[in-house]
Amino acid sequence: MLTIEHHPEGIPEKVVRLSDPESGLHGCIVLHSTRLGPAAGGCRFWHYRDDGELNRDALRLAEGMAMKNAMAGLPLGGGKAVLQVPEGPYDRGEMFRAFGRAIEMLAGEYVTAEDVGTTVADMEQVARSTSHVAGLEPQDGRPGGDPSPWTALGVFKAMEVAVRHRLGRDLADVTVAVQGLGNVGYALCELLHGAGARLVVADTRSEVVARAASNFGAMVVSSASHGGVSEIGQVAADVWAPCALGGALSSQQVDALKAKVVCGAANNQLVDMDVADKIVAKGVLYAPDYLVNAGGIINVAAEYLGWDEAQVVARVNAIPERLEQVLDLSVRESVSPAHAANIVACQLIREGREYRDTKAA
Ligand code: NAI
C-alpha cells in the first residue's frame, strides 16, 4: 500500500506513494522538509488527469507549505497529501480511514488537515486511524474548526501595514476591492467595514454579493474575466484583495491594475516570479500571500500542538510585524517583497530555525 522514496540529502525529503485498491485510496504524501518539525499541510482531494499531474501538484503544494510554516514561525516543516478522486463508486469514510492508516505508519512525520475537496467530516474519519490530524471540531474551548476567521484577521492586519507603507493612510481612508466572498473574503469584508474602509466586491455567487452590498454598503462589480483580466482587479480602488482562486496576478492583470496595494488571502497569487518584478516596476506593493494568509495554519498548528487561543492571537498579531520586516529587506536588497519573503523562509528552513526573533532573521 505504501511505497516510500527517500531523498536523504535532497528536497523533498520523502515522497510516499499511496495505493489501496480496496478502499480506492490513490495519491501521494510529499514531505518537503521536516527540519523545523513534522511536515504539516492539508490533504487535497481532486480529479487529476494522471499521476504526473497529481505528483507535480503535491510537490509544489508541499514546498509552499514549508515556506508558509517557516514564515509563520511555527515549529512545523512542510508537506502535503494529494489524493485522486476515484473513478467508480467508493466508500468515502473507508478511503479516509485508509489514508489515516498510511499517515499513522509515518509515525508523526506528517500531519494532515483539510484542503480543497476535503472537509471536517473527512478529517474525523482520518482521526479514527491516526492522531496526526488537525482541522477537527473544536473541543473544550481549544483551537480547532474553521480557520478562516483567523486567516481573515491576519490579512486585515497585514493590509493595515501595507496601506500605511505604500499610501501613508489608514484603512478608513481607502477603497478595497475584494475578489471572492467565501469563508475568508466575507470575514475580511466585515473587518474592513468595521474599520471604515469602502468596499467593492465580486463573487460568482450572487447571494453573497447581495449580502455584502446590504450589510456593508459594498459596491458590486462582475466577477467575469476577459482575456485573463478580471473586472474587480481593474476597478479604481486603492487595494486589491484576491480572496478567490490562485493565479490572480498574471502579467495582463498587472497591466490592468489600478490599485497601489495587493493584499489578499488566496494562495499562489503570482502566476510566476517574473510577475513579482513587474508589480514592483509598476509601483504597486504586493504583500506576499503565504505571509499574510498564515492565520489559518497558525490555528491548525495550535490545535495539533495543544496551544491555547492566546497563542493563536499572539502569533496572528505577529503577521504585520513580519510583513514590515520583509518589506524592509526588499528595500535593502532591492528585490521584490515576494523574493524577500522567499529569502527569509528558505533561510529559516536551511538553518532549521524557528522565526521567533523576527528582527534577527
Ligand atoms: P471559499 O471556497 O470559501 O471562497 C472562495 C470564494 O471565491 C467563493 O465564494 C467563490 O464563489 C468565489 N470565487 C470563485 N471564483 C471566483 C471568481 N473568478 N471571481 C470572484 N469570486 C470567485 O474559500 P476560502 O476558504 O474563503 O479561501 C479563499 C482563498 O484563500 C483560497 O485561495 C484559499 O486557498 C486561500 N486560503 C484560505 C485559508 C482559510 O483559512 N480558509 C487559509 C489560507 C489561504
Side-chain angles (χ1 to χ4, degrees):
M1 174 183 158
L2 289 193
T3 323
I4 303 183
E5 291 167 19
H6 293 268
H7 306 174
E9 298 300 325
I11 281 182
E13 288 174 15
K14 224 176 249 186
V15 176
V16 182
R17 311 234 174 251
L18 309 169
S19 177
D20 180 35
E22 218 165 285
S23 65
L25 177 70
H26 184 84
C28 71
I29 301 173
V30 175
L31 281 66
H32 182 83
S33 161
T34 56
R35 295 190 77 150
L36 289 168
C43 170
R44 185 160 293 196
F45 188 44
W46 199 245
H47 287 282
Y48 289 93
R49 265 196 311 273
D50 51 37
D51 278 355
E53 191 186 37
L54 181 148
N55 291 337
R56 278 192 298 280
D57 210 24
L59 290 167
R60 178 182 69 86
L61 293 166
E63 179 178 12
M65 285 312 301
M67 308 282 265
K68 184 189 288 207
N69 294 343
M71 182 58 91
L74 298 171
L76 295 172
K80 200 86 184 180
V82 174
L83 306 182
Q84 177 75 273
V85 176
E87 285 298 328
Y90 66 103
D91 179 334
R92 190 167 173 129
E94 180 46 41
M95 202 205 72
F96 278 100
R97 288 195 293 279
F99 174 52
R101 287 194 291 278
I103 295 173
E104 183 62 16
M105 288 167 86
L106 295 172
E109 277 189 306
Y110 170 67
V111 184
T112 200
E114 293 90 348
D115 189 60
V116 176
T118 52
T119 63
V120 174
D122 296 329
M123 293 308 122
E124 298 285 353
Q125 293 296 332
V126 173
R128 288 170 64 172
S129 310
T130 182
S131 58
H132 305 297
V133 52
L136 308 172
E137 291 295 350
Q139 278 178 355
D140 310 327
R142 304 204 69 85
D146 179 13
S148 307
W150 295 106
T151 305
L153 183 62
V155 172
F156 171 77
K157 285 174 173 286
M159 197 184 287
E160 280 180 321
V161 166
V163 165
R164 217 172 305 124
H165 195 96
R166 176 63 184 84
L167 301 168
R169 288 194 250 154
D170 291 330
L171 290 178
D173 300 324
V174 296
T175 300
V176 184
V178 181
Q179 179 182 30
L181 301 179
N183 293 321
V184 181
Y186 198 86
L188 177 64
C189 285
E190 242 165 1
L191 294 169
L192 289 168
H193 179 65
R198 291 172 300 278
L199 291 169
V200 185
V201 298
D203 195 290
T204 44
R205 297 181 298 143
S206 54
E207 71 280 9
V208 281
V209 286
R211 192 143 50 92
S214 140
N215 291 349
F216 314 132
M219 196 184 122
V220 176
V221 299
S222 152
S223 65
S225 180
H226 310 282
V229 176
S230 72
E231 196 175 314
I232 183 82
Q234 52 175 333
V235 293
D238 303 296
V239 183
W240 185 35
C243 297
L245 307 175
L249 286 162
S250 62
S251 181
Q252 301 97 300
Q253 185 67 65
V254 174
D255 284 337
L257 198 61
K258 297 206 180 63
K260 290 292 177 214
V261 173
V262 177
C263 180
N267 279 313
N268 304 319
Q269 288 170 33
L270 300 173
V271 164
D272 55 45
M273 287 305 274
D274 291 345
V275 172
D277 294 330
K278 188 164 181 171
I279 295 170
V280 173
K282 194 166 168 160
V284 174
L285 189 160
Y286 164 69
D289 47 13
Y290 66 82
L291 192 168
V292 307
N293 73 13
I297 189 68
I298 290 171
N299 190 56
V300 166
E303 177 187 347
Y304 182 68
L305 298 168
W307 298 340
D308 59 18
E309 190 170 310
Q311 285 254 37
V312 178
V313 172
R315 285 169 184 269
V316 172
N317 281 340
I319 289 175
E321 185 199 336
R322 280 198 189 136
L323 176 60
E324 270 169 5
Q325 286 163 3
V326 161
L327 295 178
D328 289 349
L329 179 67
S330 85
V331 172
R332 268 202 320 277
E333 299 291 326
S334 301
V335 294
S336 69
H339 282 93
N342 288 352
I343 290 171
V344 174
C346 288
Q347 191 182 334
L348 291 163
I349 295 169
R350 218 175 26 249
E351 295 173 1
R353 179 162 60 85
E354 266 178 60
Y355 199 161
R356 279 207 195 89
D357 175 9
T358 46
K359 289 191 174 65

